Amino acid sequence: MNPVKVGLLGLGTVGGGTLNVLTRNAAEIARRVGRGIRITHAAAKAYDADSLLGLDQVEVCDDAFAVVDNPEVQIIVELIGGYSPAKELVLKAIENGKHVVTANKALIAMHGNEIFEAAQRKGVTVAFEAAVAGGIPIIKAVREGLAANRIEWLAGIINGTGNFILTEMRDKGRDFDDVLKEAQALGYAEADPTFDVEGIDAAHKLAILGSIAFGIPLQFDKTYTEGITRIERQDVEYANQFGYRIKHLGIARKTDKGVELRVHPTLIPERRLIANVDGVMNAVLVQGDAVGPTLYYGAGAGAEPTASAVVADIVDIVRALTTDPENRVPHLAFQPGELADLPILPMEQVETAYYLRIQVEDKPGVVARIAGILGEAGISIEAIQQKEPAEGESLVPLVMLSHRVVEGQMNQAIAQIEALDSVSGQVMRIRVEQLDA
Amino acid sequence: MNPVKVGLLGLGTVGGGTLNVLTRNAAEIARRVGRGIRITHAAAKAYDADSLLGLDQVEVCDDAFAVVDNPEVQIIVELIGGYSPAKELVLKAIENGKHVVTANKALIAMHGNEIFEAAQRKGVTVAFEAAVAGGIPIIKAVREGLAANRIEWLAGIINGTGNFILTEMRDKGRDFDDVLKEAQALGYAEADPTFDVEGIDAAHKLAILGSIAFGIPLQFDKTYTEGITRIERQDVEYANQFGYRIKHLGIARKTDKGVELRVHPTLIPERRLIANVDGVMNAVLVQGDAVGPTLYYGAGAGAEPTASAVVADIVDIVRALTTDPENRVPHLAFQPGELADLPILPMEQVETAYYLRIQVEDKPGVVARIAGILGEAGISIEAIQQKEPAEGESLVPLVMLSHRVVEGQMNQAIAQIEALDSVSGQVMRIRVEQLDA
């Protein structure tokens, strides 16, 4: 099949990220989709050409309406933001029979009802995964993954700036104003931080989440919105003493009387998983009647995380263009002819760090001999701990953490250690992973 | 459109859950899908009729092949488990041109390559969201939500039994054998717990996740598998002392040399979100090159969580039957004509608990007066804290947590408290939510 042609409105942070991800991962994405996806046209007033991949394949102009009117383009991606001319552009694209992808939460929260009605009339799709919680596929999870459920409530940390500020206030005992200034310096907060710290951005997203959870029209104007500017360091400390964390939550709940849509600082028990979502990360906890609680966590903003959601929406639209079986989501995610013949590594070749527990005799020189064996095998020790032997016990556990090493090498060292007279039984070995990005 | 007719193989735990969810939530699901989904035929040798909803609408027989051969049925849901006759039934359904939904991880991990090839030839879909991590839409997240990414690695707690055992060992300092017995009594572990505690069940799921993450064929036989039976209480304790938790992880990682597929106990830093996934819950952490780390959390087993995934798969198949715009995922999750006119509650009518911080004069009777105002308003106090005033300070913060109360009532009480002579400035009020299921 021919590549699908996409017109991109905006080449700023998210627009640039979208072009870069589509260019860099073009082969991987085509292996999944079964056809290419190409940004053929883009509109931008100004852009940083040096930071953009594949720009030579794109016809760039400064008139967004010209891209929307271009008959070659099948899908319009609106990444300009704001209400106008974003709204006019989206409505014009729909009128022209084009599908639309947008990351514009304000536009959807405020004008979504009107936009979706226009799209419905024209039989086109307006996709907006990137409008809520950046790269987390939360719209897909609620709309499709939990389609069997009556959603009872959801609660989300859906503004990274606010979560960064509250996390710093707690972890480092800092004041709100102080952290806000740092967030602005780091680029997490705008020069005018009102949208973030007063909860308006979160309320846009919550209005969208509440709507798809309960099947109600978008009602941003009825969403209760309270910011975090009044939270003092002492409140964060008192909350800790009570066993709670303060998070800026968006909460949507269906009750017998009606629907709650509210954004406000909230104390939540510190043992809840969502209470441990820190820094600029986002997370949404969704309670369904069949599935129970589920949680979705990831980056809520940033060029490439948001682009990840934009591109996923483009892929979904391409999948819905025909019902040919070969256009469906492939069983194993990639097209049958595109499965790779990569070797699966035998465990001996896998590299991890290790926790070792060795039962040793409590006498001089034993630790030195073991350390010597590890050293000769090129295995360095990160931490070591030896307890006093219990009364009447001659054996004592020697516990250590190693740095990363290939398993085959560790196996040899362990065999040598187990052969020592002063070591009893088998070495207990558990692998260690940092799981950092 | 006519309801879609579904044939259900198996009326055990998950089969019964699927029938119950589809029956109980029929209206909610139809509001989303735009047409009904009905289980019209089922096959089961024995079942507990009293626990099943809507059984009177289902033609039940004891011959699964008769259901698979029934020309009325469009989608077959295989919930018998095991390799045989599940495999023959699935292949026969495919041969008959029917779409298939299954929760059978062993079948997919072992025979998926063959089954998907047959489905591809016939142009039908075999969906298996419920095979991995129960109700968490993890297959959908990786296959669709993260379609823009090169997946770099993933790590999952994908066996609830093992996670329950390790959590109890840590939280309560118990021994493996002791907790295993309790898990069996609670129904979390089978009489023969080998599949769970030796990691075979997790390896089935990991083989599937690795395949859809990297686009490689299913290779269960090359998945390194190590159980948790050798973990001792002292290992859990030493890990804690080093700042780690022991989790039974399935890890899939793409390296320059090949793909790692491995299930084993793993020490992970206690501050990682996934280190705090406790009890029978599952979670999968996925690292994509564009999106960064994302995490998906929820119930990995149980009748209705698994049914949630089965029904989502059925809905997906129904959506792919035609490309009519009205058959797509609706913009707001529910069909445009099905949006509900529910009232959004004004904040005064919302009920939450409260954290209150009140600046009071440090003199007798003040706390009693405030408690009196709250008591008269029907607001009971859960915890209260008052610090000594700082040197030379006459004001001191009085901090308390209340039980749940309607906001309007709390507003009135706060107004009365703020009017007291012995109270200075505004009362700081933050809402408290338990976020429990």
Side-chain angles (χ1 to χ4, degrees), chain A residues 126 140 143-144 149 215 235 241 244 259 262 267 272 295 297 308 331 340 343 345 355 357 385 431 433-434, chain B residues 126 140 143-144 215 235 241 244 259 262 267 272 295 297 308 331 340 343 345 355 357 385 431 433-434:
Chain A
V126 176
K140 181 176 282 287
R143 266 192 340 190
E144 304 172 39
N149 292 263
D235 295 313
Q241 287 167 25
Y244 287 83
V259 170
R262 47 193 170 100
L267 272 72
R272 297 276 176 275
L295 179 138
Y297 163 92
S308 172
H331 289 108
L345 289 181
Y355 160 98
R357 176 169 53 78
Q385 211 181 83
R431 297 165 192 92
E433 292 283 354
Q434 293 301 319
Chain B
V126 176
K140 181 175 282 289
R143 262 189 349 187
E144 304 172 39
D235 295 313
Q241 288 168 24
Y244 288 83
V259 171
R262 48 193 171 100
L267 271 73
R272 297 275 175 277
L295 179 137
Y297 162 92
S308 172
H331 290 109
L345 289 181
Y355 160 98
R357 175 168 54 78
Q385 211 181 83
R431 296 166 192 91
E433 292 283 355
Q434 293 301 319

Short mmCIF file of all heavy atoms in Angstrom, two decimals, chain A residues 126 140 143-144 149 215 235 241 244 259 262 267 272 295 297 308 331 340 343 345 355 357 385 431 433-434, chain B residues 126 140 143-144 215 235 241 244 259 262 267 272 295 297 308 331 340 343 345 355 357 385 431 433-434:
data_model
loop_
_atom_site.label_atom_id
_atom_site.label_comp_id
_atom_site.label_asym_id
_atom_site.label_seq_id
_atom_site.Cartn_x
_atom_site.Cartn_y
_atom_site.Cartn_z
N VAL A 126 -11.48 12.51 14.98
CA VAL A 126 -10.59 13.47 15.64
C VAL A 126 -9.99 12.74 16.84
O VAL A 126 -10.71 12.38 17.76
CB VAL A 126 -11.34 14.74 16.10
CG1 VAL A 126 -10.40 15.67 16.86
CG2 VAL A 126 -11.95 15.45 14.90
N LYS A 140 -6.89 5.57 25.31
CA LYS A 140 -7.07 4.22 24.76
C LYS A 140 -7.46 3.23 25.84
O LYS A 140 -8.35 2.39 25.66
CB LYS A 140 -5.80 3.78 24.04
CG LYS A 140 -5.91 2.41 23.41
CD LYS A 140 -4.66 2.03 22.61
CE LYS A 140 -4.62 2.70 21.28
NZ LYS A 140 -5.60 2.13 20.33
N ARG A 143 -11.16 4.14 26.93
CA ARG A 143 -12.16 4.01 25.87
C ARG A 143 -12.26 2.60 25.32
O ARG A 143 -13.34 2.14 24.95
CB ARG A 143 -11.81 4.95 24.70
CG ARG A 143 -12.48 6.27 24.77
CD ARG A 143 -12.42 7.13 23.53
NE ARG A 143 -11.41 6.86 22.53
CZ ARG A 143 -11.14 7.66 21.51
NH1 ARG A 143 -11.82 8.80 21.38
NH2 ARG A 143 -10.23 7.37 20.63
N GLU A 144 -11.11 1.90 25.27
CA GLU A 144 -11.09 0.58 24.66
C GLU A 144 -10.74 -0.52 25.66
O GLU A 144 -11.45 -1.51 25.78
CB GLU A 144 -10.07 0.56 23.50
CG GLU A 144 -10.35 1.64 22.45
CD GLU A 144 -9.22 1.72 21.42
OE1 GLU A 144 -8.69 0.67 21.02
OE2 GLU A 144 -8.86 2.85 21.03
N ASN A 149 -16.35 -2.27 31.38
CA ASN A 149 -16.62 -1.82 32.75
C ASN A 149 -17.59 -0.65 32.84
O ASN A 149 -17.62 0.20 31.97
CB ASN A 149 -15.31 -1.35 33.41
CG ASN A 149 -14.35 -2.50 33.65
OD1 ASN A 149 -14.30 -3.03 34.74
ND2 ASN A 149 -13.61 -2.88 32.63
N GLY A 215 -19.46 8.77 29.75
CA GLY A 215 -20.36 9.00 28.63
C GLY A 215 -21.22 10.23 28.84
O GLY A 215 -22.45 10.18 28.73
N ASP A 235 2.08 22.34 55.73
CA ASP A 235 0.98 21.42 55.40
C ASP A 235 1.52 20.08 54.88
O ASP A 235 1.01 19.01 55.23
CB ASP A 235 0.05 22.05 54.36
CG ASP A 235 -0.65 23.29 54.89
OD1 ASP A 235 -1.18 23.22 56.02
OD2 ASP A 235 -0.65 24.32 54.20
N GLN A 241 3.16 13.53 58.68
CA GLN A 241 3.04 13.00 60.04
C GLN A 241 1.78 12.16 60.21
O GLN A 241 1.75 11.21 60.99
CB GLN A 241 3.05 14.15 61.06
CG GLN A 241 4.43 14.76 61.21
CD GLN A 241 4.40 16.09 61.95
OE1 GLN A 241 3.48 16.35 62.73
NE2 GLN A 241 5.39 16.92 61.71
N TYR A 244 0.19 10.69 55.20
CA TYR A 244 -0.38 11.05 53.89
C TYR A 244 0.62 11.81 53.04
O TYR A 244 1.61 12.34 53.54
CB TYR A 244 -1.61 11.95 54.10
CG TYR A 244 -2.83 11.22 54.63
CD1 TYR A 244 -2.98 10.97 56.00
CD2 TYR A 244 -3.83 10.79 53.77
CE1 TYR A 244 -4.08 10.30 56.50
CE2 TYR A 244 -4.94 10.13 54.26
CZ TYR A 244 -5.06 9.88 55.62
OH TYR A 244 -6.16 9.22 56.09
N VAL A 259 -22.40 13.59 38.82
CA VAL A 259 -20.99 13.34 38.55
C VAL A 259 -20.15 14.41 39.25
O VAL A 259 -20.45 15.59 39.16
CB VAL A 259 -20.72 13.35 37.03
CG1 VAL A 259 -19.23 13.32 36.75
CG2 VAL A 259 -21.43 12.19 36.36
N ARG A 262 -13.59 17.39 39.76
CA ARG A 262 -12.94 18.35 40.65
C ARG A 262 -11.43 18.19 40.63
O ARG A 262 -10.90 17.09 40.61
CB ARG A 262 -13.46 18.19 42.08
CG ARG A 262 -13.51 16.76 42.59
CD ARG A 262 -14.34 16.68 43.88
NE ARG A 262 -14.61 15.32 44.30
CZ ARG A 262 -13.94 14.66 45.25
NH1 ARG A 262 -12.94 15.24 45.87
NH2 ARG A 262 -14.27 13.42 45.58
N LEU A 267 -5.00 15.10 50.14
CA LEU A 267 -4.19 14.18 50.95
C LEU A 267 -4.58 12.76 50.57
O LEU A 267 -5.77 12.42 50.59
CB LEU A 267 -4.46 14.37 52.45
CG LEU A 267 -3.62 15.41 53.19
CD1 LEU A 267 -4.05 16.81 52.79
CD2 LEU A 267 -3.74 15.23 54.70
N ARG A 272 -0.58 4.17 49.01
CA ARG A 272 -1.16 4.03 47.68
C ARG A 272 -0.07 4.22 46.63
O ARG A 272 0.76 5.12 46.75
CB ARG A 272 -2.24 5.08 47.44
CG ARG A 272 -3.44 4.99 48.34
CD ARG A 272 -4.48 4.01 47.87
NE ARG A 272 -5.55 3.92 48.85
CZ ARG A 272 -5.52 3.12 49.94
NH1 ARG A 272 -4.49 2.33 50.16
NH2 ARG A 272 -6.52 3.12 50.79
N LEU A 295 -3.90 1.28 37.16
CA LEU A 295 -3.15 2.53 37.16
C LEU A 295 -2.24 2.60 35.94
O LEU A 295 -1.67 1.60 35.52
CB LEU A 295 -2.33 2.66 38.45
CG LEU A 295 -1.48 3.93 38.56
CD1 LEU A 295 -1.57 4.51 39.98
CD2 LEU A 295 -0.03 3.68 38.21
N TYR A 297 0.89 4.97 34.24
CA TYR A 297 1.94 5.89 34.68
C TYR A 297 2.90 6.21 33.55
O TYR A 297 3.20 5.32 32.74
CB TYR A 297 2.69 5.19 35.82
CG TYR A 297 4.05 5.75 36.16
CD1 TYR A 297 4.20 6.72 37.13
CD2 TYR A 297 5.20 5.29 35.53
CE1 TYR A 297 5.46 7.22 37.47
CE2 TYR A 297 6.47 5.78 35.84
CZ TYR A 297 6.59 6.75 36.82
OH TYR A 297 7.82 7.24 37.14
N SER A 308 4.83 10.43 21.03
CA SER A 308 4.49 9.00 21.08
C SER A 308 2.97 8.82 20.99
O SER A 308 2.48 7.95 20.25
CB SER A 308 5.04 8.40 22.38
OG SER A 308 4.59 7.09 22.58
N HIS A 331 -1.34 -9.78 15.12
CA HIS A 331 -1.38 -10.58 16.34
C HIS A 331 -0.18 -10.29 17.24
O HIS A 331 -0.32 -10.08 18.43
CB HIS A 331 -1.40 -12.07 15.98
CG HIS A 331 -2.69 -12.51 15.39
ND1 HIS A 331 -2.83 -12.83 14.06
CD2 HIS A 331 -3.92 -12.65 15.94
CE1 HIS A 331 -4.09 -13.17 13.82
NE2 HIS A 331 -4.77 -13.06 14.94
N ALA A 340 11.31 -10.46 13.26
CA ALA A 340 12.76 -10.48 13.16
C ALA A 340 13.31 -11.79 13.72
O ALA A 340 12.76 -12.34 14.67
CB ALA A 340 13.34 -9.30 13.91
N PRO A 343 18.46 -13.51 17.77
CA PRO A 343 18.74 -14.61 18.71
C PRO A 343 18.23 -14.26 20.11
O PRO A 343 18.26 -13.10 20.52
CB PRO A 343 20.27 -14.70 18.70
CG PRO A 343 20.73 -13.33 18.30
CD PRO A 343 19.67 -12.77 17.39
N LEU A 345 19.21 -14.55 23.81
CA LEU A 345 20.49 -14.77 24.47
C LEU A 345 20.39 -15.87 25.52
O LEU A 345 19.47 -15.87 26.33
CB LEU A 345 20.95 -13.48 25.16
CG LEU A 345 21.40 -12.34 24.26
CD1 LEU A 345 21.84 -11.17 25.13
CD2 LEU A 345 22.54 -12.78 23.36
N TYR A 355 23.08 -10.05 43.94
CA TYR A 355 23.07 -10.19 45.40
C TYR A 355 23.57 -11.58 45.67
O TYR A 355 23.09 -12.55 45.06
CB TYR A 355 21.62 -10.02 45.89
CG TYR A 355 21.29 -10.58 47.26
CD1 TYR A 355 21.25 -9.74 48.38
CD2 TYR A 355 20.96 -11.92 47.44
CE1 TYR A 355 20.91 -10.24 49.63
CE2 TYR A 355 20.62 -12.43 48.68
CZ TYR A 355 20.59 -11.59 49.77
OH TYR A 355 20.25 -12.08 51.01
N ARG A 357 24.52 -14.37 48.82
CA ARG A 357 24.56 -14.72 50.26
C ARG A 357 25.33 -16.02 50.39
O ARG A 357 24.95 -17.03 49.80
CB ARG A 357 23.16 -14.86 50.84
CG ARG A 357 23.19 -15.32 52.32
CD ARG A 357 21.84 -15.22 53.02
NE ARG A 357 20.77 -15.89 52.30
CZ ARG A 357 20.56 -17.21 52.29
NH1 ARG A 357 21.37 -18.03 52.95
NH2 ARG A 357 19.56 -17.73 51.61
N GLN A 385 28.17 -7.07 53.70
CA GLN A 385 27.64 -7.04 55.05
C GLN A 385 27.90 -8.39 55.70
O GLN A 385 27.62 -9.42 55.10
CB GLN A 385 26.13 -6.80 54.98
CG GLN A 385 25.58 -6.03 56.16
CD GLN A 385 24.09 -5.84 56.06
OE1 GLN A 385 23.32 -6.72 56.41
NE2 GLN A 385 23.66 -4.70 55.55
N ARG A 431 19.56 -11.92 41.14
CA ARG A 431 19.99 -10.85 40.24
C ARG A 431 19.43 -9.50 40.68
O ARG A 431 18.36 -9.43 41.30
CB ARG A 431 19.58 -11.19 38.81
CG ARG A 431 20.28 -12.46 38.33
CD ARG A 431 19.67 -13.05 37.09
NE ARG A 431 20.21 -14.39 36.86
CZ ARG A 431 19.65 -15.52 37.30
NH1 ARG A 431 18.53 -15.48 38.01
NH2 ARG A 431 20.21 -16.68 37.04
N GLU A 433 18.47 -5.54 39.40
CA GLU A 433 18.25 -4.64 38.26
C GLU A 433 17.86 -3.26 38.79
O GLU A 433 17.05 -3.15 39.71
CB GLU A 433 17.12 -5.17 37.36
CG GLU A 433 17.45 -6.45 36.61
CD GLU A 433 18.35 -6.23 35.41
OE1 GLU A 433 18.65 -5.07 35.08
OE2 GLU A 433 18.76 -7.25 34.80
N GLN A 434 18.43 -2.22 38.22
CA GLN A 434 18.09 -0.86 38.65
C GLN A 434 16.79 -0.39 38.01
O GLN A 434 16.11 0.49 38.54
CB GLN A 434 19.22 0.11 38.30
CG GLN A 434 20.51 -0.15 39.09
CD GLN A 434 20.31 -0.06 40.60
OE1 GLN A 434 19.61 0.80 41.09
NE2 GLN A 434 20.91 -1.00 41.34
N VAL B 126 -7.28 -13.54 16.23
CA VAL B 126 -7.23 -14.25 17.51
C VAL B 126 -6.74 -13.24 18.55
O VAL B 126 -5.60 -12.76 18.46
CB VAL B 126 -6.28 -15.46 17.45
CG1 VAL B 126 -6.17 -16.12 18.83
CG2 VAL B 126 -6.76 -16.46 16.41
N LYS B 140 -2.77 -4.21 24.55
CA LYS B 140 -3.22 -3.04 23.80
C LYS B 140 -2.24 -1.88 23.96
O LYS B 140 -1.93 -1.19 22.98
CB LYS B 140 -4.62 -2.62 24.29
CG LYS B 140 -5.18 -1.44 23.55
CD LYS B 140 -6.61 -1.12 23.96
CE LYS B 140 -7.61 -2.04 23.33
NZ LYS B 140 -7.80 -1.81 21.89
N ARG B 143 0.99 -2.91 21.90
CA ARG B 143 0.76 -3.10 20.45
C ARG B 143 0.27 -1.86 19.77
O ARG B 143 0.58 -1.59 18.61
CB ARG B 143 -0.27 -4.23 20.24
CG ARG B 143 0.35 -5.54 19.93
CD ARG B 143 -0.59 -6.65 19.50
NE ARG B 143 -2.01 -6.48 19.62
CZ ARG B 143 -2.89 -7.46 19.38
NH1 ARG B 143 -2.47 -8.67 19.03
NH2 ARG B 143 -4.17 -7.25 19.51
N GLU B 144 -0.55 -1.07 20.49
CA GLU B 144 -1.19 0.11 19.87
C GLU B 144 -0.72 1.41 20.53
O GLU B 144 -0.29 2.33 19.85
CB GLU B 144 -2.71 -0.02 19.97
CG GLU B 144 -3.25 -1.32 19.36
CD GLU B 144 -4.73 -1.50 19.64
OE1 GLU B 144 -5.50 -0.53 19.60
OE2 GLU B 144 -5.15 -2.65 19.92
N GLY B 215 8.79 -7.66 18.04
CA GLY B 215 8.50 -8.22 16.72
C GLY B 215 9.31 -9.45 16.42
O GLY B 215 9.98 -9.54 15.39
N ASP B 235 16.97 -13.42 53.03
CA ASP B 235 17.32 -12.71 51.79
C ASP B 235 16.44 -11.47 51.62
O ASP B 235 16.91 -10.41 51.21
CB ASP B 235 17.14 -13.63 50.58
CG ASP B 235 18.10 -14.81 50.62
OD1 ASP B 235 19.30 -14.57 50.87
OD2 ASP B 235 17.66 -15.95 50.42
N GLN B 241 17.72 -4.16 53.82
CA GLN B 241 18.79 -3.38 54.43
C GLN B 241 19.63 -2.64 53.38
O GLN B 241 20.16 -1.56 53.63
CB GLN B 241 19.68 -4.29 55.27
CG GLN B 241 18.99 -4.73 56.56
CD GLN B 241 19.72 -5.86 57.26
OE1 GLN B 241 20.92 -6.04 57.08
NE2 GLN B 241 18.99 -6.64 58.04
N TYR B 244 16.59 -2.39 48.84
CA TYR B 244 15.97 -3.08 47.71
C TYR B 244 14.75 -3.89 48.13
O TYR B 244 14.57 -4.18 49.31
CB TYR B 244 16.98 -4.03 47.06
CG TYR B 244 18.08 -3.34 46.29
CD1 TYR B 244 19.21 -2.83 46.92
CD2 TYR B 244 17.99 -3.19 44.90
CE1 TYR B 244 20.22 -2.19 46.22
CE2 TYR B 244 19.00 -2.56 44.18
CZ TYR B 244 20.11 -2.06 44.85
OH TYR B 244 21.09 -1.44 44.15
N VAL B 259 18.15 -10.83 22.11
CA VAL B 259 17.05 -10.50 23.00
C VAL B 259 17.17 -11.31 24.29
O VAL B 259 17.42 -12.52 24.24
CB VAL B 259 15.69 -10.80 22.32
CG1 VAL B 259 14.55 -10.68 23.31
CG2 VAL B 259 15.49 -9.88 21.13
N ARG B 262 13.82 -13.44 30.33
CA ARG B 262 14.20 -14.13 31.56
C ARG B 262 13.23 -13.83 32.69
O ARG B 262 12.79 -12.70 32.86
CB ARG B 262 15.62 -13.74 31.96
CG ARG B 262 15.91 -12.25 31.93
CD ARG B 262 17.42 -12.00 32.03
NE ARG B 262 17.78 -10.63 31.79
CZ ARG B 262 18.06 -9.72 32.75
NH1 ARG B 262 17.99 -10.06 34.01
NH2 ARG B 262 18.39 -8.48 32.44
N LEU B 267 16.33 -8.25 42.71
CA LEU B 267 16.35 -7.11 43.64
C LEU B 267 16.17 -5.83 42.83
O LEU B 267 16.88 -5.61 41.85
CB LEU B 267 17.70 -7.03 44.37
CG LEU B 267 17.85 -7.80 45.68
CD1 LEU B 267 17.94 -9.29 45.39
CD2 LEU B 267 19.07 -7.32 46.46
N ARG B 272 11.63 2.61 43.24
CA ARG B 272 10.94 2.41 41.97
C ARG B 272 9.46 2.13 42.24
O ARG B 272 9.12 1.36 43.13
CB ARG B 272 11.52 1.24 41.20
CG ARG B 272 12.96 1.38 40.79
CD ARG B 272 13.14 2.13 39.49
NE ARG B 272 14.55 2.32 39.23
CZ ARG B 272 15.29 3.31 39.74
NH1 ARG B 272 14.76 4.23 40.51
NH2 ARG B 272 16.59 3.39 39.47
N LEU B 295 4.17 2.68 33.03
CA LEU B 295 3.84 1.53 33.87
C LEU B 295 2.33 1.30 33.87
O LEU B 295 1.55 2.26 33.87
CB LEU B 295 4.34 1.75 35.30
CG LEU B 295 4.04 0.62 36.30
CD1 LEU B 295 5.26 0.32 37.17
CD2 LEU B 295 2.85 0.97 37.17
N TYR B 297 -0.69 -1.05 35.78
CA TYR B 297 -0.90 -1.74 37.06
C TYR B 297 -2.35 -2.19 37.18
O TYR B 297 -3.25 -1.45 36.77
CB TYR B 297 -0.55 -0.77 38.18
CG TYR B 297 -1.09 -1.10 39.55
CD1 TYR B 297 -0.32 -1.84 40.44
CD2 TYR B 297 -2.34 -0.66 39.96
CE1 TYR B 297 -0.79 -2.12 41.73
CE2 TYR B 297 -2.82 -0.94 41.23
CZ TYR B 297 -2.04 -1.67 42.11
OH TYR B 297 -2.52 -1.96 43.37
N SER B 308 -12.88 -8.67 32.12
CA SER B 308 -12.78 -7.30 31.59
C SER B 308 -11.93 -7.29 30.32
O SER B 308 -12.28 -6.64 29.33
CB SER B 308 -12.16 -6.39 32.67
OG SER B 308 -11.88 -5.11 32.16
N HIS B 331 -15.68 9.20 19.70
CA HIS B 331 -14.78 10.23 20.25
C HIS B 331 -14.80 10.25 21.77
O HIS B 331 -13.76 10.28 22.41
CB HIS B 331 -15.19 11.62 19.71
CG HIS B 331 -14.90 11.78 18.26
ND1 HIS B 331 -15.89 11.83 17.30
CD2 HIS B 331 -13.72 11.89 17.59
CE1 HIS B 331 -15.33 11.98 16.10
NE2 HIS B 331 -14.03 12.02 16.25
N ALA B 340 -25.01 10.76 28.28
CA ALA B 340 -25.99 10.90 29.36
C ALA B 340 -26.03 12.35 29.86
O ALA B 340 -25.02 13.02 29.88
CB ALA B 340 -25.63 9.97 30.51
N PRO B 343 -26.24 15.35 35.92
CA PRO B 343 -25.79 16.64 36.46
C PRO B 343 -24.36 16.53 36.97
O PRO B 343 -23.94 15.49 37.47
CB PRO B 343 -26.75 16.87 37.63
CG PRO B 343 -27.20 15.51 38.03
CD PRO B 343 -27.21 14.67 36.78
N LEU B 345 -22.12 17.67 39.86
CA LEU B 345 -22.43 18.14 41.21
C LEU B 345 -21.66 19.41 41.53
O LEU B 345 -20.45 19.48 41.30
CB LEU B 345 -22.04 17.08 42.24
CG LEU B 345 -22.90 15.83 42.30
CD1 LEU B 345 -22.39 14.90 43.40
CD2 LEU B 345 -24.36 16.17 42.56
N TYR B 355 -8.45 17.79 55.77
CA TYR B 355 -7.33 18.21 56.59
C TYR B 355 -7.57 19.69 56.87
O TYR B 355 -7.85 20.46 55.94
CB TYR B 355 -6.05 18.01 55.80
CG TYR B 355 -4.83 18.80 56.25
CD1 TYR B 355 -3.85 18.22 57.06
CD2 TYR B 355 -4.62 20.11 55.80
CE1 TYR B 355 -2.71 18.92 57.43
CE2 TYR B 355 -3.48 20.82 56.17
CZ TYR B 355 -2.54 20.22 56.99
OH TYR B 355 -1.42 20.93 57.34
N ARG B 357 -6.00 23.15 58.92
CA ARG B 357 -4.95 23.79 59.73
C ARG B 357 -5.45 25.15 60.15
O ARG B 357 -5.79 25.98 59.30
CB ARG B 357 -3.64 23.90 58.97
CG ARG B 357 -2.56 24.67 59.77
CD ARG B 357 -1.17 24.56 59.18
NE ARG B 357 -1.12 24.96 57.77
CZ ARG B 357 -1.10 26.22 57.34
NH1 ARG B 357 -1.16 27.23 58.19
NH2 ARG B 357 -1.05 26.48 56.04
N GLN B 385 -3.76 17.39 66.16
CA GLN B 385 -2.37 17.59 66.56
C GLN B 385 -2.17 19.06 66.88
O GLN B 385 -2.57 19.92 66.09
CB GLN B 385 -1.46 17.20 65.40
CG GLN B 385 -0.12 16.65 65.84
CD GLN B 385 0.76 16.29 64.67
OE1 GLN B 385 1.42 17.14 64.10
NE2 GLN B 385 0.74 15.02 64.27
N ARG B 431 -8.62 18.70 50.98
CA ARG B 431 -9.48 17.51 50.99
C ARG B 431 -8.65 16.24 51.10
O ARG B 431 -7.50 16.20 50.66
CB ARG B 431 -10.36 17.50 49.75
CG ARG B 431 -11.31 18.71 49.74
CD ARG B 431 -11.97 18.95 48.42
NE ARG B 431 -12.61 20.27 48.43
CZ ARG B 431 -12.01 21.40 48.03
NH1 ARG B 431 -10.75 21.38 47.58
NH2 ARG B 431 -12.65 22.54 48.07
N GLU B 433 -8.65 12.00 50.39
CA GLU B 433 -9.31 10.86 49.73
C GLU B 433 -8.52 9.60 50.03
O GLU B 433 -7.29 9.60 49.96
CB GLU B 433 -9.36 11.08 48.20
CG GLU B 433 -10.28 12.20 47.75
CD GLU B 433 -11.75 11.83 47.79
OE1 GLU B 433 -12.07 10.65 48.07
OE2 GLU B 433 -12.58 12.73 47.55
N GLN B 434 -9.21 8.53 50.34
CA GLN B 434 -8.53 7.26 50.61
C GLN B 434 -8.17 6.55 49.31
O GLN B 434 -7.25 5.73 49.28
CB GLN B 434 -9.40 6.35 51.47
CG GLN B 434 -9.61 6.88 52.89
CD GLN B 434 -8.31 7.08 53.66
OE1 GLN B 434 -7.41 6.26 53.58
NE2 GLN B 434 -8.23 8.19 54.39
#
